[in-house]
Amino acid sequence: MSAERRLFAWLGAALLAVVLTACAGLPTSGPVNPGRAPGEAEGSQEVFFRPVGPLPGATPQQIVEGFIRAGSAPGAGARWERAREFLAPGFRSAWRPSAGVIIDLENDRVPVETGEGLVSVSLTVVGTTDARGSYQQADEAATTLSYELAQQDDGEWRITSAPDGVVLDRALFPSVFHEYAVMYFSPGWEYLVPDVRWFPTTTAATSIVDALVNRSKSDWLDGAVFSAFPEGVEARPTVPVSAGVAEVELTESVLASDTQALDRMQAQLEASLATANVTAVQMSVDGTPLEATAAPVRSTRIPGAPLVLTELGFGYLAGDELEPVAGLTDVMTTVDPIAIQTSADRDLAALLLRTGEVARVRDDRTSVVLDERAGLLDPTIGPGGGVWSVPREDPSALHVFPLAGEPIDVEGAFPDATGIEAFSLSRDGTRLAAVVTAGGRSVLWVAGVGRGADEGTIVLDEPLLLSVLGGSGVDVAWLDDQTVGVLVRQDDTTVVLEQAVGGPGTTVVAPRDAASLAGGTSLSNVRLRGEDGALYVRRGSTWQQAAAGIRVLATQQGAPQ
């Protein structure tokens, strides 16, 4: 083969064949259903890539480039058989593609032959996943990967040493790996909390069960959530799925669990596997089914109508009318709030008053000032009624004001942060999202909320970096159980960042004067309030004004059961 033909053949190796399957039609009958709940999988087409194997006469650099491209094809059982074709026979079984993923910018890759049989590739890393499938944002950091190659008996170069894991371009990553929510319980076994992982679709059910039963939680959530699966219980290596039913084989030690524990295990499995389109789960031991019914859990969904304060009062906005909130609507006339967050049961609300104080109001029409420190941010309220408050200039001075007793100093609050711009507690109370100033930049963090060794103490686990904002944070709110919304001012532009907790984020341009945001029943119902009191809702890529005269756009921590 001539050098020219070999070049064109090698360039052709970069073209990946995409096969689309599972194209479902639209239903034409049946009931009208609401949009997907947090943690539920959204139907999508499956995308499979078929990169070519090593070409005859390929140079060491071309072998390495082909090997990296073959990371887009996990294949059946996620064995990455195509990628292993680039490896020397003695190295094929030693390479561990499941060790993790480096997510990079393909156009920034620079391969260089540094010596005979030595190739280094410089990368711009934008994210990683570890062996558990946990995603970590990276700040476009530069790194270099090294490869060693040797000529085989047939004269062809093959890789004899390579880093474990695979490398994927940012655009390809969400097609090769999909996000799945591994579900844990909140304290008190009231809510299910998603711990987002990324797995190849070809092994989704097995990977989810392995992550839930056999492996540990993501580090940043370790002290905040709990599992009904006790230590010593393990799941068998494969999880077959037939007609939507997953068969989860557990070790005999699970037989020591009582009915309540088994029901909680069933709830975790059903909710976790639902994100992989599994419709039912059967637990068993040595082929004998276990009797279990999924334990009931509380939803964190909120009503569809926005909750607002206008000159007419406080309530749910429906056209030009306000539906009052029993008890709370009346007490709002006795205070002057500029920020409001209501509890899930609508019996309590945390307020930032125009005087700068943080207060709590009850549905018995009473109010009490909790925090009089200077420079307080909009407060947030937890499932137990505790109000969280912090000064903008002192992030470590985070306090929780319980319904009874003295204020609690939160341990480990925002280490290394020099300022805080906005914060909000997740509706299940297990995670705290915050826009902080750290290292001279405005960043979005999320931290697990744990309990300390002493009764009544609250601890924030080591925060997880979700995003570098590239501007100043104006407001933050949980849009659903897995997504945080951030209103960001970037020079002359205002944007809304919809940041997945445990995955990439997306941004949309917002009205320039947007001053606060709140979630709705789905991501398409993100609401914004402008400085002039206009209420905006998003329709596709544009924002439409839905109302005027909005004094406060309230956020909600759920809805009554």
Side-chain angles (χ1 to χ4, degrees):
M1 179 183 292
S2 68
E4 182 178 352
R5 291 182 62 188
R6 188 162 55 245
L7 173 62
F8 279 103
W10 184 257
L11 290 175
L15 300 177
L16 304 177
V18 180
V19 179
L20 301 178
T21 63
C23 300
L26 295 175
T28 58
S29 62
V32 176
N33 295 310
R36 68 186 180 105
E40 290 180 346
E42 185 171 349
S44 63
Q45 293 178 324
E46 300 295 340
V47 181
F48 299 97
F49 298 93
R50 303 189 198 278
V52 301
L55 298 177
T59 65
Q61 178 177 318
Q62 290 170 335
I63 289 293
V64 170
E65 290 174 331
F67 172 69
I68 293 175
R69 280 195 296 270
S72 65
R79 289 284 303 159
W80 273 271
E81 297 295 350
R82 178 66 81 194
R84 292 182 194 275
E85 294 178 12
F86 292 85
L87 307 179
F91 182 59
R92 287 174 186 166
S93 60
W95 177 62
R96 298 186 305 115
S98 61
V101 182
I102 292 177
I103 305 154
D104 76 330
L105 304 177
E106 184 175 11
N107 290 339
D108 288 359
R109 292 177 194 165
V110 180
V112 177
E113 292 193 33
T114 58
E116 186 175 6
L118 300 175
V119 176
S120 66
V121 181
S122 61
L123 307 172
T124 300
V125 181
V126 298
T128 61
T129 69
D130 60 19
R132 292 174 296 186
S134 297
Y135 179 94
Q136 174 66 64
Q137 170 90 11
D139 189 18
E140 296 199 6
T143 192
T144 299
L145 303 181
S146 298
Y147 301 83
E148 297 178 11
L149 300 91
Q151 282 187 300
Q152 306 303 294
D153 292 342
D154 59 2
E156 300 293 344
W157 289 96
R158 293 294 182 265
I159 297 170
T160 57
S161 177
D164 288 327
V166 297
V167 178
L168 286 173
D169 174 63
R170 178 167 58 186
L172 285 181
F173 173 69
S175 297
V176 179
F177 284 74
H178 286 199
E179 62 175 304
Y180 301 97
V182 178
M183 296 294 191
Y184 295 95
F185 274 100
S186 65
W189 310 98
E190 186 176 15
Y191 295 96
L192 282 174
V193 182
D195 183 2
V196 173
R197 309 292 181 90
W198 292 82
F199 302 125
T201 59
T202 54
T203 60
T206 294
S207 297
I208 290 169
V209 173
D210 177 63
L212 176 61
V213 183
N214 301 337
R215 296 177 181 264
S216 59
K217 304 179 284 286
S218 291
D219 294 340
W220 71 276
L221 269 178
D222 188 51
V225 296
F226 302 90
S227 177
F229 289 90
E231 290 188 14
V233 173
E234 296 182 357
R236 299 303 185 192
T238 59
V239 178
V241 179
S242 177
V245 179
E247 300 286 343
V248 178
E249 182 79 12
L250 301 172
T251 52
E252 289 184 4
S253 53
V254 76
L255 297 176
S257 303
D258 60 21
T259 299
Q260 185 180 61
L262 288 173
D263 288 350
R264 288 170 176 167
M265 295 179 207
Q266 184 76 15
Q268 285 183 262
L269 284 169
E270 288 185 6
S272 300
L273 287 166
T275 64
N277 298 318
V278 170
T279 57
V281 177
Q282 178 62 64
M283 295 188 294
S284 62
V285 174
D286 291 332
T288 301
L290 295 176
E291 295 296 329
T293 301
V297 294
R298 183 163 184 171
S299 171
T300 59
R301 301 196 76 182
I302 63 175
L307 184 59
V308 298
L309 177 67
T310 73
E311 63 180 7
L312 299 177
F314 178 68
Y316 288 96
L317 184 63
D320 295 330
E321 302 293 327
L322 280 179
E323 178 188 341
V325 181
L328 292 183
T329 290
D330 293 338
V331 74
M332 291 299 175
T333 63
T334 68
V335 292
D336 188 13
I338 59 174
I340 303 170
Q341 184 173 93
T342 61
S343 66
D345 290 324
R346 302 179 193 161
D347 57 345
L348 301 165
L351 314 178
L352 180 64
L353 305 179
R354 195 168 299 280
T355 58
E357 301 163 317
V358 164
R360 177 169 49 220
V361 298
R362 296 174 179 260
D363 61 358
D364 62 2
R365 300 174 177 81
T366 61
S367 65
V368 59
V369 171
L370 302 173
D371 197 349
E372 298 178 306
R373 293 176 292 174
L376 296 173
L377 295 177
D378 297 354
T380 185
I381 191 167
V387 173
W388 298 56
S389 180
V390 66
R392 181 182 299 272
E393 301 299 328
D394 192 0
S396 64
L398 177 62
H399 292 171
V400 176
F401 296 83
L403 285 174
E406 296 298 315
I408 300 170
D409 293 335
V410 179
E411 299 176 11
F414 312 117
D416 304 321
T418 57
I420 179 169
E421 298 163 0
F423 76 124
S424 186
L425 195 65
S426 62
R427 297 169 194 166
D428 49 50
T430 63
R431 296 156 293 166
L432 189 69
V435 176
V436 303
T437 303
R441 301 179 303 175
S442 185
V443 298
L444 175 62
W445 282 352
V446 64
V449 178
R451 297 297 181 265
D454 298 329
E455 185 177 355
T457 59
I458 299 175
V459 178
L460 287 189
D461 290 333
E462 187 74 19
L464 176 72
L465 172 67
L466 294 183
S467 181
V468 178
L469 299 183
S472 59
V474 178
D475 197 12
V476 64
W478 287 82
L479 306 183
D480 63 20
D481 284 350
Q482 295 180 206
T483 314
V484 177
V486 187
L487 196 59
V488 184
R489 202 87 73 203
Q490 298 176 336
D491 297 327
D492 294 332
T493 304
T494 301
V495 301
V496 173
L497 167 66
E498 295 177 1
Q499 177 62 56
V501 179
T506 60
T507 58
V508 294
V509 176
R512 184 176 177 181
D513 69 338
S516 62
L517 86 165
T521 53
S522 67
L523 293 183
S524 63
N525 287 335
V526 176
R527 290 132 183 177
L528 302 177
R529 176 190 172 273
E531 293 176 353
D532 61 355
L535 177 67
Y536 298 96
V537 295
R538 184 155 62 92
R539 297 289 183 262
S541 59
T542 63
W543 296 90
Q544 297 179 1
Q545 184 172 337
I550 306 300
R551 294 181 179 178
V552 178
L553 174 61
T555 56
Q556 307 170 67
Q557 293 293 68
Q561 290 181 301

